[in-house]
Amino acid sequence: MPAKLPSTIAPHLLARYDRHARDLPWRAPPGTPPPAPYRVWLSEVMLQQTQVATVKPYFERFTTRWPDFESLAAADEGELMAAWAGLGYYARARNLLACARQVVRDHGGRLPDTEAELRKLAGIGDYTAAAIAAIAFGARAVVVDANVERVVARLAALEDPLPAARPTVRALADTITPEPRAGDFAQAMMDLGSDICTARAPRCLLCPLRADCAGHASGAPERFPVKTPKRKRPHRRGTIFWLTSGDSVLLVRRPDKGMLGGMRALPTGPWTDAAPGLAEPPIPAEWRLHDATVRHGFTHFTLECTLASARVEAHINPEAGSWWPIDDLDSAGLPTLFAKAAAVMKKQG
DNA sequence: TAGGCGTGGAC
DNA sequence: TGTCCAAGCCT
């Protein structure tokens, strides 16, 4: 394990935070009482692997429509999933509802204030439990996210590659986390990672920790954190079925488990190495394969879907499907892959 | 424990 | 275009 980090880091960082803290809807200015735990929790879940600019409009809509745990716990799951559409990682939405119901049922509608208790709730892992404990309740918790990993790896010029070196990073972060203002410290680290100590081309000339940083001293701070190489993403092919009747199109609900679980969707065939053509349509019909395709990148593979369409006279009623007005598809809450496909089909007429 | 799980921005 | 990356969690 590398040497202990300089004790000047926390005061330097907090001094910058007092002057330059970002003004965010879920954040209280430094030196003022913390926001409601509900808002801290909701923002932290939305921010998991998701950038601030993307989260802002979702946070505003959710807090307007469901301002507290009680109202969210009473929400209809389908409406909540639709409201989450476009934000990604849809298991978060299912866990959000499960967590709100846990809080109402087991904790009287108030979020527990310790890491250990928070950690038991759906969708709350090590990072989120620490962040809530520190930011909402003022506890001294060691908050380690991707920003903290990057900043600490640079401060220490850590040669051990992530993610294996995560325990080392956490131990180093522990040595610089202050007892008072642990929440401000965590948010200050994230602001630093977002504004200055960025993944590529860090702006060291603006950094309040420059004199404390072994990465900067090394002359190549962008080299850190060292990471083990990733496997490249495979390509898959699929077909999206556009079945219309009158002014409506057939939508299905995807299984809770697996890709886009629980989301409303256009029917698809299998996703495989080779283009599957008209395999596994939602119903037998005079399907026509189009030239148009839709490409979409997921976390661990990219998908290219061919579009197929057919028309039926009556609103047949398949078990898992429902008819949706084509002009109102924006309100269906479709994941981006299907929103793209719908846009192409509406354009083609 | 390593892989499944979305999306949009930066370059 | 492709690639990497981002306030991770779950199994």
Side-chain angles (χ1 to χ4, degrees):
Chain A
M1 161 118 83
K4 188 164 171 264
L5 292 170
S7 59
T8 42
I9 288 173
H12 286 165
L13 190 66
L14 286 168
R16 174 181 186 269
Y17 189 69
D18 288 336
R19 281 177 285 121
H20 298 301
R22 283 182 291 176
D23 182 18
L24 302 172
W26 47 84
R27 179 183 279 186
T32 67
Y38 174 78
R39 294 170 69 86
V40 175
W41 163 73
L42 179 62
S43 67
E44 287 301 339
V45 173
M46 287 184 165
L47 286 161
Q48 290 166 5
Q49 297 285 284
T50 310
Q51 294 181 346
V52 164
T54 305
V55 165
K56 275 184 181 174
Y58 285 87
F59 182 81
E60 300 289 2
R61 285 198 291 273
F62 269 67
T63 50
T64 298
R65 188 165 177 182
W66 300 295
D68 49 37
F69 283 109
E70 285 76 12
S71 55
L72 189 64
D76 173 77
E77 180 172 10
E79 289 183 24
L80 190 147
M81 298 300 286
W84 196 275
L87 201 50
Y89 284 134
Y90 298 102
R92 290 186 295 173
R94 296 192 297 276
N95 286 332
L96 195 76
L97 186 56
C99 181
R101 290 176 177 170
Q102 279 178 283
V103 167
V104 167
R105 189 187 63 227
D106 302 336
H107 301 279
R110 303 175 72 88
L111 205 58
D113 60 1
T114 65
E115 278 185 90
E117 287 295 313
L118 288 163
R119 190 64 181 77
K120 297 176 184 171
L121 298 171
I124 298 185
D126 289 340
Y127 161 76
T128 304
I132 294 172
I135 296 169
F137 299 114
R140 184 192 176 279
V142 181
V143 182
V144 183
D145 72 324
N147 288 298
V148 175
E149 286 186 347
R150 185 172 60 255
V151 172
V152 166
R154 285 180 180 158
L155 287 170
L158 184 66
E159 297 287 354
D160 308 355
L162 289 172
R166 231 181 150 231
T168 301
V169 170
R170 193 198 183 280
L172 288 167
D174 196 352
T175 68
I176 58 173
T177 301
E179 165 63 52
R181 302 193 67 188
D184 283 351
F185 179 78
Q187 296 181 91
M189 289 286 270
M190 294 177 207
D191 280 13
L192 188 79
S194 170
D195 301 338
I196 292 176
C197 198
T198 52
R200 43 193 122 192
R203 303 158 72 190
C204 298
L205 290 178
L206 300 177
C207 184
L209 307 182
R210 187 172 67 248
D212 306 318
C213 184
H216 179 253
S218 81
E222 70 284 352
R223 200 162 64 74
F224 305 100
V226 179
K227 293 191 177 183
T228 54
K230 293 175 182 156
R231 289 181 9 206
K232 75 175 211 181
R233 295 187 301 181
H235 292 265
R236 291 192 195 165
R237 302 288 303 265
T239 302
I240 292 175
F241 295 100
W242 179 261
L243 183 67
T244 58
S245 178
D247 297 326
S248 297
V249 63
L250 183 72
L251 298 184
V252 298
R253 183 185 155 97
R254 295 181 61 82
D256 277 333
K257 300 208 169 198
M259 288 290 299
L260 310 172
M263 297 301 290
R264 211 173 265 138
L266 293 166
T268 66
W271 297 355
T272 55
D273 290 341
L278 295 174
E280 299 180 28
I283 64 165
E286 295 289 322
W287 289 102
R288 182 166 72 88
L289 215 45
H290 294 245
D291 290 331
T293 64
V294 173
R295 293 171 189 274
H296 191 70
F298 292 104
T299 308
H300 52 294
F301 64 91
T302 60
L303 182 67
E304 179 175 359
C305 280
T306 306
L307 299 174
S309 67
R311 167 168 291 275
V312 291
E313 293 304 323
H315 281 199
I316 48 91
N317 196 13
E319 298 213 347
S322 60
W323 294 97
W324 200 276
I326 293 172
D327 286 340
D328 195 31
L329 271 181
D330 287 347
S331 71
L334 295 178
T336 300
L337 167 68
F338 301 111
K340 284 182 187 173
V344 170
M345 292 309 297
K346 286 169 79 168
K347 201 168 170 181
Q348 295 204 344

